[in-house]
Amino acid sequence: MWIAGCGGATGPVLLGLLLELLVPGGGAAKTGAGLVTCGSVLKLLNTHHRVRLHSHDIKYGSGSGQQSVTGVESSDDANSYWRIRGGSEGGCPRGSPVRCGQAVRLTHVLTGKNLHTHHFPSPLSNNQEVSAFGEDGEGDDLDLWTVRCSGQHWEREAAVRFQHVGTSVFLSVTGEQYGSPIRGQHEVHGMPSANTYNTWKAMEGIFIKPSVEPSAGHDEL
């Protein structure tokens, strides 16, 4: 059984939230190659199943009972925007490039909850449940994900992985699909090993321009 929340933000609200990010002192770009930076708002595409990371005010009817996280095929759903933030202690100044190996929080723009996982089984595949947790961007230490990528910084054209700091699982999609009330949406869960099901790519969004020019590097994914 699923539990639906009350109310919900719409497109104009999202637009307002995005415009709020574009304050003086930092530029932004909607298109073109470059780096993913702290403070950017974006959609994330699972490169294997071609679905975007998504959440909404609908709670799991099992497991943690927290807000559900899914994958959707639509490219224009406002519930698929996530904001890149640092850990609770900071460390991710607005406009700074996200480093490979850096721990970040992914905050769902329309509900203010953070991408989260914990030791509950996922509803369909019995992998590790992934949820959205917290209020107004504040949750706990289980909201932290390490960006695993090649080179020194997260490049927008490159595939990356997100490995959970607390439990070491990778953010994944293996194709299971839900029925009503979110029919056709894909389960998102955590898997213990790096594989083809857990690579992601930055897609549509508002990208804050880097505040400094980063140096190149050649680390491995």
Side-chain angles (χ1 to χ4, degrees), residues 71-165:
V72 297
E73 296 178 0
S74 173
S75 63
D76 59 0
D77 193 316
N79 273 305
S80 300
Y81 281 108
W82 300 83
R83 184 178 179 185
I84 308 298
R85 304 170 62 221
S88 56
E89 73 290 346
C92 194
R94 174 187 166 86
S96 62
V98 177
R99 302 183 308 275
C100 295
Q102 181 174 349
V104 300
R105 287 180 292 177
L106 298 171
T107 302
H108 188 242
V109 171
L110 291 189
T111 64
K113 297 184 184 296
N114 298 324
L115 190 70
H116 181 96
T117 190
H118 37 217
H119 292 297
F120 285 94
S122 59
L124 301 182
S125 66
N126 207 40
N127 284 296
Q128 186 164 300
E129 181 193 276
V130 170
S131 64
F133 173 77
E135 295 294 336
D136 298 323
E138 298 305 319
D140 61 22
D141 290 343
L142 293 178
D143 301 340
L144 292 173
W145 299 80
T146 301
V147 181
R148 300 296 184 193
C149 50
S150 300
Q152 195 169 38
H153 296 96
W154 178 2
E155 298 179 4
R156 283 158 55 187
E157 296 299 319
V160 304
R161 292 186 173 92
F162 299 98
Q163 185 174 22
H164 190 241
V165 172

Side-chain angles (χ1 to χ4, degrees), residues 13 16 22 29 32 37-38 43 46 49 52 60 65 89-90 107 122 128-129 139 155 167-169 194 196 211 220:
V13 175
L22 307 181
T37 53
C38 297
K43 295 181 180 181
N46 181 275
H49 283 285
R52 285 162 173 77
Y60 288 119
E89 73 290 346
T107 302
S122 59
Q128 186 164 300
E129 181 193 276
E155 298 179 4
T167 65
S168 299
V169 298
T196 188
S211 53
E220 294 298 323

Side-chain angles (χ1 to χ4, degrees), residues 176-192:
E176 297 84 2
Q177 291 180 274
Y178 290 109
S180 179
I182 53 173
R183 185 173 304 278
Q185 295 188 23
H186 291 241
E187 180 183 88
V188 173
H189 51 246
M191 299 184 74

Side-chain angles (χ1 to χ4, degrees), residues 44-47 49-53 71-73 173 186 200:
L44 291 166
L45 178 76
N46 181 275
T47 61
H49 283 285
R50 313 298 296 179
V51 292
R52 285 162 173 77
L53 188 68
V72 297
E73 296 178 0
V173 178
H186 291 241
W200 300 82

